[in-house]
Amino acid sequence: MDDLIQTITVYAIPVIFAITLHEAAHGFVARMFGDSTAWMLGRVSLNPMRHIDPVGTLLVPALLLISARIAGGGGFMFGWAKPVPVNFANLRNPKRDMIWVAAAGPAANLLMACGWAALYRLLDAAGIDEAFFFSMAKAGITFNIMLMALNLVPIPPLDGGRILIGLLPRKLSNAYASVERYGFVIVLVLIVTGLLSTLMMPFVSIGIWFIQSLFQF
């Protein structure tokens, strides 16, 4: 039980910030390109309390983490925050700008992974011998890369799906956008069959390579 509590404590801060700042990034970039909806609602904020979804940000990650620890494996861990409202019609060039708004979330996760990696290196350079902080930094790197990879899977409404919709020719993008109504079911099927991990792997590999190259892990 003590080991489980310590694991939850280690992951709590990295998970909450990874999920909530991912959403804030969408709102921030949407405002840059002309849509102030999220800004006016106070959702372009570094305050996690403005983004936390009790189920998606707290309950689901905690249950997945507990299940993984009980099973004795790494498991699959994900979560979500309250979606940031974006009115794509307000964007100056909706089809093009959708790409940047969607990419902002995964980019924020990669940036946070870099931040946790930098913290790890600073702790090491300072000679701080406290396993808890090193474990938290590792958790921050791992979870942010996993969340980035998950969201880059090209299935709407995941960010990768929105990016693909923005890149495809208009006729194809309109057809692919219609898949969004089934997106959640498709993702659940991919999780159950284990195929989602396969689709995520190229993005996970890129994220790991980037961190290793930048911080010499």
Side-chain angles (χ1 to χ4, degrees), residues 168-206:
L168 287 172
R170 190 166 298 278
K171 189 173 182 180
L172 285 175
S173 69
N174 289 339
Y176 195 61
S178 65
V179 175
E180 183 165 344
R181 73 188 75 173
Y182 311 109
F184 185 68
V185 174
I186 294 172
V187 171
L188 284 179
V189 171
L190 290 174
I191 291 174
V192 171
T193 58
L195 292 174
L196 186 60
S197 297
T198 302
L199 293 175
M200 289 170 56
M201 192 52 61
F203 304 114
V204 171
S205 298
I206 291 171

Side-chain angles (χ1 to χ4, degrees), residues 27-110:
F28 177 77
V29 174
R31 185 170 186 254
M32 288 177 58
F33 285 96
D35 178 42
S36 297
T37 305
W39 177 268
M40 291 187 294
L41 293 173
R43 296 296 306 280
V44 183
S45 170
L46 297 180
N47 180 2
M49 297 306 296
R50 294 184 178 273
H51 309 286
I52 285 176
D53 179 292
V55 175
T57 315
L58 303 176
L59 182 60
V60 169
L63 289 176
L64 290 173
L65 183 59
I66 291 170
S67 300
R69 296 297 295 179
I70 291 175
F76 179 79
M77 191 174 175
F78 74 105
W80 63 88
K82 292 186 293 186
V84 163
V86 177
N87 187 342
F88 291 103
N90 288 339
L91 299 174
R92 287 186 284 272
N93 186 327
K95 192 172 186 302
R96 181 200 65 197
D97 298 343
M98 176 196 305
I99 298 171
W100 298 107
V101 174
N109 289 125
L110 182 59

Side-chain angles (χ1 to χ4, degrees), residues 115-125 133-134 137-138 141 217:
W116 286 110
L119 175 61
Y120 186 98
R121 283 301 182 207
L122 285 172
L123 291 171
D124 188 45
F133 294 116
F134 283 101
K138 287 181 180 178
I141 297 168
F217 271 85

